[in-house]
Amino acid sequence: MAGMVAVSRGRPPRVSMQEHMAIDVSPGPIRPIHLISDYFPHFYPFTKHSLPTLDPHPAGGVEVGADPACYLPLAALGTLEFTLLFDADNSALHCTAHRAKGLKPPASGSVDTYVKANLLPGTSKASQLRTRTVRGTRGPVWEETLTYHGFTCQDAGRKTLRLCVCEDPRLRRRRRAPPLGELRVPLRKLVPNRARSFDVCLEKRKLTKRPKSLDTARGMSLYEEDEVEAAGEERGRILLSLCYSSQQGGLLVGVLRCAHLAPMDANGYSDPFVRLFLHPNVGKRSKYKTSVRKKTLNPEFNEEFFYAGPREELAQKTLLVSVWDYDLGTADDFIGGVQLSSQAGGERQQHWCECLGRSDCRLELWHPLDGAPLQLSD
């Protein structure tokens, strides 16, 4: 008895942590906890719960080890209702964002959202449009139309429209987060001059690494959205109007707007303006330029210039139109140009000859810009 008392009064025996907590330390897969009763069945003696297991080869083709949210149906990210209209007569694509339903923001509570649109492939900021921000709801209604000018049948056959539903971090002082969901529509399925409505489930955004040849390009990020357009393939396009005025006895050249210009500044934009040069035009005013539009890749000018002379004389001349990026204190950067003459060929020749063949008839046409500056000899 005395010995037992001595042991009880002495230092207690050392017990390991595993023995004390009775934890099974054998390695195994970590499975998600859906119900706490799955691990404490004795609290619910009248019900039986079985822990669901993840299929290592799901039917949807989801990779093993992916984010658990990818096992949710696509509708869990919400849906977006919108309408597309390809106006072939005016070379424009209209996208009307109606509403979104069932959005799932990463944080609980309300969300401030807007819709961002991009044309792929192409420079992201040149084709980026967005709606206004709707605050404090998971079912926002925008009813706003985004318009892409200079959209041709060739663009419809090879481009894809990407729509992203994004959270606006500026209103709540949050960091910029990835989109809540996105979707892509191949535009070759559109019928010209016929509206088509969509109600599509949103998907997760996917990023791919930009090729090394484009890593050093100005205004481009390291990652891009799946499709990359070859450098120098498209410098943008310009909408010109030509009209031979019989009353004034000369040619009226209108510089209306540009679309999808190449970014020339480090911020991903340009400060574009347009130069006009009629060659040869000795002894007369032959050079004009528009005003500068700041920080835009889709400038609107709506400026008109006049070249005097009979149509027979103008038919032997060449009109050179070039778009430049204005730089303060340094040389301006050349963005692209187009040459109109009776020897140009294609739509450029057709636009020039039809204008001089008619009187007091205004003809408008979009022209793609060439990346190489044109050289004219005297």
Side-chain angles (χ1 to χ4, degrees):
M1 189 69 175
M4 294 179 60
V5 172
V7 172
S8 62
R9 290 181 180 179
R11 189 173 183 178
R14 190 176 186 87
V15 180
S16 65
M17 183 62 68
Q18 287 80 2
E19 294 176 352
H20 181 72
M21 300 298 295
I23 293 180
D24 183 9
V25 295
S26 61
I30 300 177
R31 301 180 183 276
I33 300 177
H34 293 269
L35 294 174
I36 195 65
S37 59
D38 293 331
Y39 289 89
F40 298 91
H42 54 279
F43 287 162
Y44 304 89
F46 302 104
T47 59
K48 294 183 179 180
H49 300 277
S50 60
L51 183 64
T53 59
L54 298 178
D55 188 0
H57 302 285
V62 181
E63 297 181 0
V64 179
D67 194 303
C70 67
Y71 293 94
L72 299 175
L74 293 178
L77 298 179
T79 60
L80 179 64
E81 297 181 15
F82 61 98
T83 301
L84 296 180
L85 172 61
F86 173 30
D87 186 358
D89 298 333
N90 297 315
S91 299
L93 175 66
H94 305 283
C95 174
T96 303
H98 298 296
R99 63 184 60 84
K101 297 180 180 179
L103 297 179
K104 298 297 187 295
S108 60
S110 60
V111 61
D112 308 325
T113 55
Y114 64 92
V115 176
K116 181 176 66 174
N118 286 95
L119 285 177
L120 301 177
T123 306
S124 61
K125 290 187 178 182
S127 64
Q128 180 174 303
L129 301 175
R130 57 160 291 176
T131 66
R132 70 183 190 280
T133 300
V134 176
R135 303 192 60 179
T137 177
R138 298 190 180 187
V141 178
W142 295 282
E143 294 297 343
E144 185 173 347
T145 300
L146 307 176
T147 301
Y148 287 100
H149 296 281
F151 188 84
T152 62
C153 294
Q154 291 78 9
D155 295 328
R158 66 185 182 92
K159 287 187 178 290
T160 299
L161 178 66
R162 186 185 74 234
L163 297 176
C164 300
V165 179
C166 305
E167 183 178 5
D168 197 336
R170 298 174 297 176
L171 299 180
R172 298 182 181 273
R173 296 182 179 180
R174 298 174 180 171
R175 294 182 178 179
R176 179 173 297 180
L180 302 179
E182 72 167 28
L183 57 89
R184 305 191 180 198
V185 181
L187 299 177
R188 64 178 179 272
K189 299 181 180 180
L190 295 181
V191 178
N193 301 321
R194 182 182 300 177
R196 182 175 179 181
S197 299
F198 297 84
D199 188 3
V200 186
C201 296
L202 297 172
E203 301 178 358
K204 284 191 172 182
R205 184 182 187 185
K206 297 180 180 180
L207 297 178
T208 57
K209 187 68 176 297
R210 184 179 296 275
K212 293 182 178 180
S213 60
L214 299 180
D215 283 348
T216 58
R218 293 185 295 178
M220 294 184 177
S221 59
L222 183 61
Y223 289 87
E224 62 185 2
E225 282 74 19
D226 289 347
E227 300 184 44
V228 182
E229 191 166 15
E233 179 179 348
E234 183 175 347
R235 307 290 294 181
R237 56 199 64 181
I238 185 171
L239 178 60
L240 298 175
S241 69
L242 300 179
C243 177
Y244 184 82
S245 175
S246 59
Q247 296 181 356
Q248 302 182 37
L251 178 64
L252 293 173
V253 180
V255 180
L256 303 183
R257 67 191 314 148
C258 296
H260 316 320
L261 295 180
M264 305 301 293
D265 295 335
N267 58 6
Y269 294 96
S270 294
D271 302 324
F273 68 96
V274 180
R275 290 175 177 171
L276 302 177
F277 176 46
L278 185 63
H279 176 84
N281 202 18
V282 181
K284 300 179 182 179
R285 181 73 181 270
S286 62
K287 295 183 179 180
Y288 295 98
K289 70 176 182 178
T290 66
S291 56
V292 179
R293 297 295 186 265
K294 294 291 186 179
K295 195 179 179 181
T296 178
L297 299 177
N298 299 281
E300 185 174 356
F301 299 100
N302 291 323
E303 300 183 26
E304 193 172 61
F305 307 94
F306 177 73
Y307 289 103
R311 69 178 68 189
E312 295 80 9
E313 181 181 343
L314 292 173
Q316 305 300 322
K317 297 184 179 183
T318 299
L319 179 64
L320 178 61
V321 183
S322 56
V323 183
W324 297 77
D325 170 50
Y326 174 76
D327 290 329
L328 181 62
T330 59
D332 299 328
D333 297 324
F334 177 78
I335 298 179
V338 58
Q339 180 180 357
L340 303 180
S341 68
S342 58
Q343 307 296 328
E347 293 183 346
R348 303 177 181 183
Q349 178 185 10
Q350 182 180 0
H351 193 194
W352 182 257
C353 294
E354 286 187 4
C355 165
L356 297 178
R358 305 178 185 180
S359 296
D360 305 320
C361 181
R362 186 180 302 275
L363 300 177
E364 298 181 0
L365 190 63
W366 285 93
H367 295 282
L369 300 176
D370 295 329
L374 299 177
Q375 302 293 335
L376 296 177
S377 58
D378 295 335

